[in-house]
């Protein structure tokens, strides 16, 4: 046999037959087929194609800067100083920005953000995070040793899930996740081949979490897997609800009684808009419940630079706080993190600024406060606007957007459209969103990508576009919905 | 039963008994127990402890900036401009830095590096990477669609390995890795529960790779697993060898004949020092071998911002080029990457600068060239120095450091020391390195963390400390080795 024959005899090594089967099961709607199509349409527009619209509006993802939100000046000044320390001699930079930059650089190897940090994160950043948590939680102690910097919150969440997965068949780890959920959870659990245990949020009661539903879901899951953890997203993504203190206490009691590891995704902790709503951290509530809880319940909470008023997604900054983890497991966690060396240092620096922003009396304080409040006030206004306009559309029911950055309205889809979707092999709300995109250039994510009660349909839409653009967008959705309903009636 | 009793009845959820068993198997010597001990000693020194040395020198990890290497001015100027675009009006920044920053920002959502990028990476960065590869490889075409930005090279390597792992028992995926290897490979394969297939580099022939050894290792592995991929590190880590063009051709032919997916870790591509040695990319050699190879062999090659003359580890920048991957698998890869949203954008910007540095005629060109050459020349000098001094020590044999950033000398360990290590349950070269650390403050990584022929012992030492410090360090190692040998003889 000649050499060439040897080579050509073989097909590809890596094919759909030989690929990791758990990878095939992963789905992530936020950047799924709808976004592929949106990118395609953008390209066609650039090449001069005629469409009934002139631009694609991506309301599919919580990407504040892409929607025109300006970064916080102070944060970016410090990042510039850290990147190019020669600027420390530039008198046009404020002193508080310089002192923050000097402090961060002092804790970096060789005084450079180009050096690796410790895998757990830069010492001073972990110290500042701990102080921030103490202040946020009314004095409940936080230990820098329990803080782990991460590459966005996603990285921390996947790492903790990875630790939790073991067993086979009926002993395989199950993890409770809300439905609707942010699909990072389902994607990570699919990849890890863990069992997804769904608990449903109560749409009729403003997407609230009922402990009775947790119990139902847990009991059912115990028939076929070993439930080990429960994930909570508060404020909710995609649902926008803000949990009451009572609800959080109930969840903690439930986790304690049922022996569940608690994961609290709190990346939207500054995004609370609705009157009477307030962010309560799981950590704080846990400690208020007394030593029989705070000495035992294993809790990890996650935060990020990507959301809130910062919207600095591109930096991939984040942290997690780990409470009551078995010391031997902590050693395993530390080891696992060390393989990936360290989270991006610019993201760590940014996380430091988020938890240690300008203080009253410092030169950047007034501007910082103004910028932050402007952003958060505009979001609150847009949250209200979104609910209001969507609820004027017959066939759309939208819960108040109490917090986070999304509305997740229920949409009525005519039977004929459901039928057509079935024939095409797509979810009915995917058909809806695809038509919306093709007709209006608006890119939303179908509810089926987050999970929903059978027979109900939703979409997720960010509230992030500038107010005027958001109004146009909502009006277009309104028109489209009416057209779609007529078309299929 | 009272509530408190319910809570206290249970132990921890996540323990060494319930933790993911594949996590337990992960090992990563570069940041392992020796580094924990080094950090401990540093802390003790800070607290005033008296030691026979005043500082810990971490020669365990390729962290150039931490060892005093200065960043490239142009790179940091552009990063500062991208972070804080108000600086674009500052006349003290050179025009070429401004035009690079403007171009990168133009391709970012909302003109901000705080926006998410496409999961595959920013368009213009992928274009620039493709052009860089074409130039590097003498005109062999590179398609930006085949370029994926990553969070350092590690992230890309782990992602590709993840795709490759499937099957159970005798059909479980095996991956060929060199011994000695960079322990990211063994750690990732352990976590993925893939079979590690070891092929040994030939220490007697300057750590060269023999295809006959590849055949031996593959045949043996075929008895118990399904070999699917081969990993090559060139220039070598920890071994510092630079592969000849002939060797690369042989490896490609071997991969083609045996149906193996080829992974080329080429992060040290600018780090070649030895006379007569030259970096040849696997991509270029593949294309020179003709269409029967370049149309069939599946190849992914990896690069990074962390090594070469940049040493920008903290930014976690990197890319991979994917050749001949099945389109259906490419779709799975794209989906998998989308779950983690995007690589850090500052790292992507930095990767762009590495592949598109100042050109002749541009204002920053002269300084850039000088800075780059100074760093690379100093490394070449230190590579030579390291080999020379280590080889003056009886009982230490050091191959030429042809490339990369490490020496990996063979050390003779007296039988009594081997015996003592056995009694303590540690590897003999771990005992050696721990003693070295305690006596001199020098932190090296034992060869056992990288793999080595049974009965041989090594350590890995970076060549990165400044020349004068490196000389002191090498002298201390020399003294220690003689003391250690006497002590245990």
């Amino acid at each position: 046999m000649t050499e060439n024959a040897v080579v050509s005899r073989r097909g590809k090594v890596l094919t759909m037959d030989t690929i990791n089967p758990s990878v095939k099961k992963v789905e992530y709607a936020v950047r799924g087929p709808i976004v592929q199509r949106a990118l395609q349409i953008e390209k066609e527009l650039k090449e001069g194609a005629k469409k009934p619209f002139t631009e694609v509006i991506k309301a599919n993802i919580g990407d504040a800067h892409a929607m025109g939100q300006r970064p916080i000046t102070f944060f970016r000044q410090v990042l510039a100083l850290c990147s190019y320390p020669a600027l420390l001699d530039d008198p046009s930079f404020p002193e508080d920005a310089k002192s923050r930059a000097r402090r961060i650089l002092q804790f970096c190897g060789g005084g450079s953000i180009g050096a690796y940090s410790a895998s757990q994160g830069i010492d001073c950043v972990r110290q500042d995070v701990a102080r921030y948590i103490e202040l946020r939680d009314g004095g409940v102690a936080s230990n820098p040793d329990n803080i782990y910097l991460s590459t966005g919150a996603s990285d921390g969440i996947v790492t903790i899930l990875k630790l939790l997965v073991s067993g086979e068949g009926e002993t395989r780890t199950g993890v409770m996740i809300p439905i609707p959920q942010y699909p990072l959870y389902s994607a990570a659990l699919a990849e890890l081949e863990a069992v997804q245990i769904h608990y449903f949020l109560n749409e009729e009661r403003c997407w609230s979490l009922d402990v009775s539903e947790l119990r139902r879901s847990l009991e059912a899951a115990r028939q076929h897997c070993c439930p080990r953890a429960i994930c909570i997203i508060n404020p909710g993504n995609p649902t926008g609800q803000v949990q009451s203190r009572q609800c959080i206490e109930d969840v903690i009691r439930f986790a304690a009684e049922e022996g569940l590891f608690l994961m609290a995704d709190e990346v939207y902790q500054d995004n609370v808009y609705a009157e009477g709503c307030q962010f309560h951290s799981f950590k704080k509530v846990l400690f208020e419940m007394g030593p029989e809880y705070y000495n035992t319940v294993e809790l990890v909470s996650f935060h990020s630079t990507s959301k809130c008023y910062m919207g600095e997604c591109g930096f991939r900054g984040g942290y997690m706080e780990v409470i009551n983890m078995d010391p031997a497991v902590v050693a395993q966690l530390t080891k696992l993190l060390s393989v990936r060396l360290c989270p991006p240092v610019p993201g760590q620096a940014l996380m430091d600024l988020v938890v240690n922003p300008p203080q009253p009396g410092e030169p950047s304080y007034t501007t910082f406060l103004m910028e932050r409040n402007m952003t958060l006030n505009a979001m609150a206004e847009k949250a209200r606007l979104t609910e209001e306009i969507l609820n004027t559309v017959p066939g759309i029911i939208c819960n108040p957007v109490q917090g986070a950055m999304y509305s997740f309205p229920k949409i009525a889809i005519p039977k004929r459209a459901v039928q057509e979707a079935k024939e095409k092999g797509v979810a009915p709300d995917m058909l809806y969103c695809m038509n919306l995109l093709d007709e209006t250039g608006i890119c939303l994510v179908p509810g089926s990508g987050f999970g929903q009660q059978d027979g109900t349909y939703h979409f997720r839409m960010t509230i992030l576009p500038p107010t005027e653009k958001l109004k146009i967008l909502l009006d277009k959705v309104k028109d489209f919905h009416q057209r779609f309903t007529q078309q299929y009636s």
Side-chain angles (χ1 to χ4, degrees), chain A residues 197-479:
Chain A
I197 307 172
H198 295 166
Y199 65 88
F200 288 89
L201 301 176
N202 190 335
E203 183 162 18
E204 277 62 50
R205 291 178 53 201
C206 215
W207 296 116
S208 66
L209 187 162
D210 302 334
V211 173
S212 61
E213 166 60 12
L214 294 184
R215 287 197 199 289
R216 179 207 61 76
S217 140
L218 182 69
E219 288 317 315
R222 285 213 166 113
Q223 307 302 313
H224 60 91
C225 73
C226 177
R228 279 217 174 83
I230 177 168
C231 301
I232 307 283
I233 313 174
N234 178 51
N237 175 5
T239 43
Q241 90 284 11
V242 176
Q243 291 182 349
S244 67
R245 198 195 166 290
Q246 182 60 51
C247 171
I248 293 171
E249 195 175 316
D250 292 347
V251 170
I252 293 173
R253 193 171 290 114
F254 172 78
E257 287 171 10
E258 302 294 347
L260 295 171
F261 191 103
L262 194 45
M263 295 173 64
D265 178 341
E266 302 180 322
V267 300
Y268 297 98
Q269 55 191 264
D270 294 332
N271 298 112
V272 176
Y273 318 116
E275 219 166 300
C277 285
Q278 196 191 330
F279 171 73
H280 303 273
S281 78
F282 269 75
K283 165 93 180 293
K284 178 167 191 252
V285 176
L286 175 68
F287 276 71
E288 287 170 354
M289 288 170 71
E292 68 273 31
Y293 289 95
Y294 70 66
N295 285 333
T296 58
V297 175
E298 293 151 83
L299 167 69
V300 182
S301 84
F302 305 92
H303 196 16
S304 156
T305 60
S306 303
K307 310 299 170 185
C308 299
Y309 63 92
M310 304 79 82
E312 297 275 16
C313 318
F315 280 82
R316 314 308 299 120
Y319 76 75
M320 55 186 179
E321 185 183 26
V322 173
I323 310 287
N324 285 324
M325 189 178 265
D326 184 319
V329 174
V330 168
Q332 294 291 316
L333 170 61
T334 306
K335 177 189 73 178
L336 196 61
L337 293 175
S338 76
V339 179
R340 296 299 277 277
L341 301 163
C342 70
V345 174
Q348 294 189 50
L350 189 53
M351 194 76 244
D352 188 59
L353 304 172
V354 170
V355 297
N356 185 20
Q359 299 302 309
E362 290 189 319
S364 303
Y365 180 67
T366 317
T367 306
F368 165 73
L369 210 65
M370 189 197 66
E371 290 177 343
R372 189 188 66 174
N373 292 348
M374 251 179 54
T375 298
L376 290 176
N377 292 343
M379 282 189 197
E381 166 65 10
K382 292 188 278 190
R384 200 192 50 73
L385 204 67
T386 302
E387 178 201 348
E388 192 181 288
I389 298 183
L390 286 176
N391 279 325
T392 65
V393 189
I396 297 188
I397 303 172
C398 183
N399 269 321
V401 182
Q402 298 174 333
M405 294 180 169
Y406 317 96
S407 66
F408 195 70
K410 177 148 70 178
I411 48 176
I413 297 192
K415 270 189 192 152
R416 276 188 44 220
V418 173
Q419 189 55 36
E420 183 178 316
K422 210 178 241 173
E423 284 157 16
K424 288 185 170 168
V426 297
D429 45 18
M430 175 64 93
L431 176 80
Y432 180 98
C433 288
M434 278 290 186
N435 283 15
L436 175 72
L437 176 62
D438 281 334
E439 292 181 27
T440 66
I442 298 169
C443 180
L444 307 180
V445 192
S448 45
F450 305 89
Q452 53 200 354
Q453 291 278 9
D454 277 350
T456 69
Y457 307 108
H458 301 77
F459 59 71
R460 187 185 82 162
M461 190 185 103
T462 71
I463 60 165
L464 292 172
T467 310
E468 286 316 303
K469 207 173 200 170
L470 182 66
K471 281 184 192 162
I472 297 170
L473 187 151
L474 288 164
D475 282 339
K476 282 188 173 184
V477 170
K478 185 174 178 169
D479 290 347

Side-chain angles (χ1 to χ4, degrees), chain A residues 7-165:
Chain A
V7 174
S8 57
R9 190 190 53 181
R10 297 179 188 277
K12 304 257 183 223
V13 179
L14 183 55
T15 65
M16 290 306 278
D17 292 332
T18 62
I19 198 172
N20 188 333
S22 62
V23 167
K24 280 202 260 188
K25 288 187 201 130
V26 169
E27 284 179 26
Y28 186 69
V30 175
R31 294 201 156 191
I34 195 97
V35 182
Q36 302 295 322
R37 177 81 188 121
L39 292 173
Q40 177 62 28
I41 291 176
E42 266 187 337
K43 210 176 149 192
E44 289 168 20
L45 282 173
K46 242 185 218 166
E47 291 163 3
K50 290 229 168 96
K51 306 258 177 196
F53 49 88
T54 53
E55 65 165 334
V56 171
I57 304 177
K58 289 190 203 122
N60 59 298
I61 189 165
D63 190 357
H65 292 196
M67 288 285 117
Q69 185 183 309
R70 308 304 312 155
I72 297 287
T73 303
F74 177 79
F75 292 177
R76 295 308 195 89
Q77 286 174 330
V78 179
L79 287 167
L81 291 161
C82 288
S83 300
Y84 187 49
L87 291 170
L88 287 165
D89 297 326
D90 184 334
S92 69
F93 280 79
E95 274 311 313
D96 49 355
K98 288 184 184 175
S99 70
R100 291 293 196 297
R102 277 196 204 96
R103 178 155 181 272
I104 292 168
L105 291 174
Q106 204 181 2
F107 277 83
C108 289
S112 168
I113 57 169
Y116 290 120
S117 76
S119 301
Q120 195 174 350
I122 302 170
D123 275 0
C124 75
V125 180
R126 292 189 293 106
Q127 287 161 16
D128 291 347
V129 168
R131 268 207 302 269
Y132 159 83
I133 293 173
E134 287 182 356
L135 209 65
R136 182 196 69 189
D137 291 345
V140 174
S142 173
N143 185 343
D145 290 347
N146 294 339
I147 307 296
Y148 294 78
L149 276 292
S150 58
T151 308
S154 303
D155 170 50
I157 292 167
V158 172
T159 302
I160 297 297
L161 288 175
K162 194 180 281 173
L163 294 180
L164 281 160
V165 176

